[in-house]
Amino acid sequence: MPTTTEHSLLLAIVDDLAESGWSQQNHLVAQDLTRELAAECRKRAAQGGLSPASIGRGATQVVREGVRGDQIQWLERGQSAASDRYLALMDGLRQALNQGLYLGLEDYESHFALYPPGAFYQKHLDRFRDDDRRAVSVLLYLNQDWLPEHGGALRLYLKGEPEAGEDQQGERLHDIAPLGGSLVVFMSAEVPHEVLPATRERLSLAGWFRRRGARPL
Ligand code: OGA
Ligand code: MN
């Protein structure tokens, strides 16, 4: 069960998604949990548990470092106290989203991601052409002491009033530094985004709430 404070932050995410399609919360995930998850990600990397991320799905999966250069490992329940605590918190978010927005979210899949210095992920939507189950994307950043000069921002391409900083399509760019404890949530089908290269190793935990599929896998 979420605490009262967690509950009000979960409701704030629901309101933000309804209003603008995205939300950032820096206090939902406790600093001690963020640090434990960062340590777990580093440990998995040191043990050789991470593999180059691919793009596409099923038989069409390929590794393309010119598109995305991160290394990932999927989370399973029961692997550590920290990841279970994180998954429980995400289940609270799933329920709040279902109650507030009637999204019918059924499960949550997530992976640790490590971007070596210079790695990036080109502009994309978190939806596969042949699978529209991913409905809401969640990113948790795990980097302590991140400075603006380290780069590595998550760049969101938001709809809205074009203003200074817009690109040709009239989208509004919004950059978010991958600072430890920042949680970013957005509608998977609505918000194109990219990861800019960083000068140091960049750790994140990326996840997706999924609806039941219209078609079998
Ligand atoms: C992704 C993604 C962003 C990040 O894995 O689909 O967009 O900041 N990750 O790690
Ligand atoms: Mn993405």
Side-chain angles (χ1 to χ4, degrees):
M1 281 289 284
T3 63
T4 313
T5 314
E6 280 170 358
H7 189 65
S8 63
L9 294 172
L10 295 176
L11 294 181
I13 295 175
V14 172
D15 285 350
D16 287 348
L17 289 188
E19 206 161 293
S20 63
W22 76 285
S23 181
Q24 178 176 0
Q25 298 296 330
N26 299 338
H27 302 289
L28 178 61
V29 183
Q31 282 299 329
D32 67 322
L33 178 55
T34 298
R35 271 193 284 270
E36 283 172 37
L37 291 168
E40 184 173 337
C41 183
R42 282 200 197 86
K43 188 169 133 201
R44 287 169 178 241
Q47 289 170 345
L50 307 195
S51 345
S54 52
I55 53 173
R57 218 172 62 84
T60 60
Q61 275 194 14
V62 281
V63 174
R64 287 265 159 74
E65 281 170 22
V67 177
R68 69 181 292 189
D70 55 329
Q71 295 165 17
I72 65 165
Q73 191 181 36
W74 292 93
L75 250 74
E76 310 283 347
R77 217 166 279 279
Q79 285 174 320
S80 74
S83 55
D84 280 358
R85 202 174 139 199
Y86 175 75
L87 291 172
L89 190 58
M90 288 301 105
D91 205 58
L93 177 55
R94 185 183 66 81
Q95 291 176 39
L97 291 168
N98 282 346
Q99 278 160 23
L101 302 175
Y102 308 105
L103 289 178
L105 305 172
E106 290 208 312
D107 66 3
Y108 181 70
E109 58 174 3
S110 64
H111 63 58
F112 285 105
L114 183 154
Y115 289 76
F120 53 86
Y121 192 161
Q122 284 184 350
K123 183 178 175 185
H124 64 281
L125 276 177
D126 284 346
R127 273 246 164 140
F128 300 112
R129 236 163 293 157
D130 59 343
D131 180 350
D132 60 1
R133 285 177 301 163
R134 285 180 171 182
V136 179
S137 304
V138 182
L139 294 160
L140 173 67
Y141 294 106
L142 304 176
N143 309 290
Q144 298 300 320
D145 307 317
W146 194 271
L147 298 173
E149 56 264 38
H150 293 141
L154 171 72
R155 171 164 287 173
L156 303 181
Y157 292 78
L158 301 171
K159 295 190 197 101
E161 289 301 301
E163 48 184 311
E166 75 189 85
D167 74 359
Q168 291 100 330
Q169 287 123 43
E171 294 167 308
R172 192 160 53 83
L173 308 188
H174 182 75
D175 287 356
I176 297 171
L179 186 55
S182 296
L183 187 84
V184 181
V185 184
F186 54 85
M187 301 307 293
S188 304
E190 290 173 22
V191 184
H193 55 282
E194 70 178 309
V195 177
L196 303 179
T199 56
R200 54 176 270 207
E201 189 173 270
R202 174 192 190 277
L203 308 179
S204 60
L205 187 43
W208 298 272
F209 291 108
R210 299 191 305 182
R211 293 197 182 103
R212 189 194 310 250
R215 278 171 286 184
L217 268 177

